[in-house]
């Protein structure tokens, strides 16, 4: 799993991915149809906000809402077949389950202990 993160300053990866998703939905009719069920988040609305993807081509989003605090946003996952799954949990619980729960739908625990490389090590 690759988590979209920004180290601060001029690094705006998370923001850029959100803006990219907005543009794609505006110009690509197939992508727009695929995202139509939830929409792309815009201020004052409810919609998808991308924050991770997996090596098995799953996209991970928050179902963000201006009406609720971020800790109440569900996690939405779209698999490579286009099917959606909702996980009413925090991002930290979702990541813990991905890494440690061998029975979790999108888990990797069955493949061995977690491996982590911080962004600062990739520079």
């Amino acid at each position: 799993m690759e988590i979209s993160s920004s180290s601060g300053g001029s690094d705006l990866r998370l923001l850029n991915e959100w803006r990219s998703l907005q543009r794609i939905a505006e110009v690509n009719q197939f992508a727009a149809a695929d995202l139509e069920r939830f929409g792309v988040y815009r201020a004052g609305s409810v919609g998808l906000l991308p924050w991770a993807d997996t090596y098995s081509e799953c996209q991970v989003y928050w179902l963000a809402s201006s009406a609720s605090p971020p800790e109440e946003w569900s996690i939405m996952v779209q698999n490579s077949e286009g099917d959606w799954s909702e996980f009413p949990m925090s991002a930290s619980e979702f990541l813990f389950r991905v890494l440690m729960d061998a029975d979790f739908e999108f888990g990797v625990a069955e493949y061995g202990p977690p491996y982590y490389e911080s962004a600062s090590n990739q520079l």
Side-chain angles (χ1 to χ4, degrees):
M1 175 171 280
E2 185 171 334
I3 300 169
S4 300
S5 62
S6 298
S7 59
S10 63
D11 180 6
L12 303 173
R13 182 173 175 201
L14 189 60
L15 179 61
N16 290 339
E17 289 192 18
W18 172 52
R19 288 179 176 159
S20 176
L21 184 64
Q22 288 177 324
R23 281 191 300 276
I24 289 168
E26 289 169 0
V27 300
N28 182 318
Q29 66 183 17
F30 299 109
D34 203 31
L35 298 169
E36 183 177 32
R37 179 176 172 193
F38 304 104
V40 178
Y41 178 76
R42 298 202 185 271
S45 70
V46 175
L48 298 171
L49 189 59
W51 64 272
D53 54 53
T54 70
Y55 296 114
S56 59
E57 300 180 16
C58 296
Q59 304 301 311
V60 183
Y61 305 89
W62 282 293
L63 184 56
S65 171
S66 298
S68 60
E71 59 270 13
E72 293 179 9
W73 297 349
S74 288
I75 305 299
M76 303 300 299
V77 179
Q78 184 182 35
N79 69 19
S80 60
E81 303 297 317
D83 299 321
W84 291 93
S85 298
E86 182 173 5
F87 300 92
M89 61 182 68
S90 67
S92 56
E93 180 180 353
F94 180 82
L95 291 172
F96 177 82
R97 302 239 355 243
V98 164
L99 295 172
M100 304 305 291
D101 184 347
D103 297 323
F104 192 58
E105 182 177 356
F106 296 99
V108 296
E110 66 184 286
Y111 304 114
Y115 170 79
Y116 170 78
E117 184 174 323
S118 72
S120 62
N121 290 343
Q122 296 176 6
L123 299 176

